[in-house]
Amino acid sequence: VKPVLSFWFDFASTYSYLSAMRIDDLADQAGVTVDWRPFLLGPVFKAQGWMTSPFNLYPARGANMWRDMERTCADMGLPLLRPDPFPQMSLLAARVALVGRQAGWGPAFGRAVFAAEFGEGRRIDDPALLATLVKAAGGDGADALDKAATGPVKAALKAATDEAMTLGVFGAPTFVTPDGELFWGNDRLEQALRWVGKSAST
Amino acid sequence: VKPVLSFWFDFASTYSYLSAMRIDDLADQAGVTVDWRPFLLGPVFKAQGWMTSPFNLYPARGANMWRDMERTCADMGLPLLRPDPFPQMSLLAARVALVGRQAGWGPAFGRAVFAAEFGEGRRIDDPALLATLVKAAGGDGADALDKAATGPVKAALKAATDEAMTLGVFGAPTFVTPDGELFWGNDRLEQALRWVGKSAST
């Protein structure tokens, strides 16, 4: 049985895009399974006293983040087009992703949402777009959107966000290993995978 | 003539320690000269509304930073011992480093301060320790501390901090290239060096 790395992400998060587009390949090479865990950064930021993204609250940090994204996407060969507004409302996409987590098309849907949002600059609060992306990921778009609007799925997203905070997650992406090590940021993905490999072999 | 990468650092900054211990070797391999630029994060953080380190203001971020430092120092083979208090008062060390920048022992002194502070957990506001580190770096300890207390050196540190803010520096370490590209964080050191190499060859 392969060890599992939990990939905590919010669809509104720019650096989660970078991880989403490479995590499954890197994990496959490392012999690790990825559990895609959507959650909402909003409540996490509110607990830190921030009512919006710190990249909007601190302009120098925001300017650097976008320039850093431009340079890093160029290095990775990834397209980058800023969605408007930033951050995007990721609530509906996160609920749909939870439906996909049960149904098995969660990772493919996750990559498709990030690619549409940050590669093409599209709005991810558009149910029609999300239905199309579910279908492309191998699911049933209308059915997934119906399920996403139900109480159990709404409650599951709230529970996931609470779980993230309990784990100590304060930003995205965050990678959590089976033995509870927390790695924050796309820059730590390789280190997190090495950690899982070492722990699994001891 | 080798191109120059400016290395903006505050002696109180944990991640600046990681860069300080590797930047000169990496730059040498890349054919780049490093300009060690001490400045003070305090006024930079105050401009963002923070009266102390964000790692103290946001406990989950602080806990992650220390754990991340432990893991990364272990990977790099660097010792890590937390100084008390954190952050350390870096004013005097920064002034002495400016004296060393003129005299030529700035980088060796910089490495020695970071190693004492984060490798041995020592207080860097101790003039006797700083005099010893100046001597080990090839300077005259008593003379350097005398010079550090003069008006021109105090003014030079204020000017450096203003210059950093004008450049858009909001944290440390930050690397600034000859063509004005700003790279924030120890994780971006390699990318910054590649940028300088590309710009210099075109």
Side-chain angles (χ1 to χ4, degrees):
Chain A
V1 179
K2 289 184 183 179
V4 176
L5 184 65
S6 296
F7 168 35
W8 290 90
F9 66 94
D10 183 318
F11 281 117
S13 151
T14 47
Y15 289 110
S16 295
Y17 168 48
L18 302 185
S19 290
M21 302 317 274
R22 66 199 195 100
I23 190 169
D24 282 317
D25 284 349
L26 286 176
D28 197 50
Q29 292 161 26
V32 171
T33 298
V34 178
D35 187 8
W36 287 57
R37 299 296 312 263
F39 76 109
L40 294 182
L41 274 172
V44 177
F45 285 163
K46 270 183 195 141
Q48 297 178 63
W50 299 337
M51 301 314 280
T52 180
S53 164
F55 296 127
N56 289 345
L57 289 171
Y58 304 107
R61 288 173 187 261
N64 176 72
M65 180 276 285
W66 286 113
R67 183 68 184 129
D68 184 49
M69 285 290 295
E70 286 172 2
R71 290 186 304 234
T72 303
C73 284
D75 282 355
M76 292 174 67
L78 279 181
L80 179 67
L81 195 57
R82 295 190 203 189
D84 181 28
F86 176 81
Q88 286 280 295
M89 290 201 298
S90 53
L91 176 67
L92 181 57
R95 288 175 177 162
V96 174
L98 279 182
V99 176
R101 185 168 177 253
Q102 294 287 338
W105 43 261
F109 173 75
R111 281 189 295 275
V113 171
F114 278 117
E117 179 187 19
F118 291 116
E120 301 171 24
R122 301 191 65 176
R123 290 188 68 125
I124 60 164
D125 57 352
D126 173 8
L129 172 65
L130 295 178
T132 305
L133 299 179
V134 168
K135 195 179 170 196
D140 179 326
D143 180 63
L145 281 158
D146 283 347
K147 284 191 175 129
T150 63
V153 171
K154 291 180 181 180
L157 182 58
K158 280 204 187 87
T161 300
D162 288 344
E163 184 184 346
M165 284 197 272
T166 301
L167 289 168
V169 171
F170 55 87
T174 293
F175 311 102
V176 181
T177 70
D179 56 345
E181 285 288 317
L182 185 153
F183 295 83
W184 171 54
N186 177 57
D187 293 314
R188 290 294 172 279
L189 174 52
E190 285 84 353
Q191 204 183 27
L193 285 168
R194 282 197 305 273
W195 187 278
V196 175
K198 271 186 293 186
S199 306
S201 63
T202 55
Chain B
V1 180
K2 287 184 184 178
V4 176
L5 183 65
S6 296
F7 168 35
W8 291 89
F9 65 93
D10 183 320
F11 281 117
S13 151
T14 48
Y15 289 109
S16 294
Y17 167 49
L18 302 185
S19 290
M21 303 317 275
R22 65 197 196 102
I23 190 168
D24 282 317
D25 284 347
L26 286 176
D28 198 49
Q29 292 162 25
V32 171
T33 298
V34 178
D35 188 6
W36 287 58
R37 300 295 312 264
F39 77 108
L40 295 182
L41 274 173
V44 176
F45 285 163
K46 269 183 195 142
Q48 296 177 65
W50 300 337
M51 301 314 280
T52 181
S53 164
F55 296 126
N56 289 345
L57 289 171
Y58 305 106
R61 288 172 187 263
N64 175 72
M65 181 275 285
W66 286 113
R67 184 67 184 130
D68 184 49
M69 285 291 294
E70 287 171 1
R71 290 186 303 234
T72 303
C73 284
D75 282 354
M76 291 174 67
L78 280 180
L80 179 67
L81 195 57
R82 295 189 200 189
D84 182 27
F86 176 82
Q88 286 282 294
M89 290 202 297
S90 53
L91 176 67
L92 181 57
R95 287 176 178 162
V96 174
L98 279 181
V99 176
R101 185 169 177 251
Q102 294 286 337
W105 43 261
F109 174 75
R111 280 188 294 274
V113 172
F114 278 116
E117 180 186 19
F118 292 114
E120 301 171 24
R122 301 192 63 176
R123 290 188 67 124
I124 60 163
D125 57 352
D126 172 8
L129 172 65
L130 295 178
T132 304
L133 299 179
V134 168
K135 195 178 170 196
D140 178 326
D143 181 64
L145 280 157
D146 284 347
K147 283 192 176 128
T150 62
V153 171
K154 292 180 179 179
L157 183 59
K158 280 205 186 87
T161 300
D162 289 344
E163 184 184 346
M165 283 198 271
T166 301
L167 288 168
V169 171
F170 56 88
T174 294
F175 311 101
V176 181
T177 70
D179 56 345
E181 284 287 317
L182 186 153
F183 295 83
W184 172 54
N186 177 58
D187 293 313
R188 290 293 173 280
L189 174 52
E190 286 83 354
Q191 202 183 28
L193 286 167
R194 283 197 304 272
W195 187 278
V196 174
K198 272 188 291 186
S199 306
S201 64
T202 54

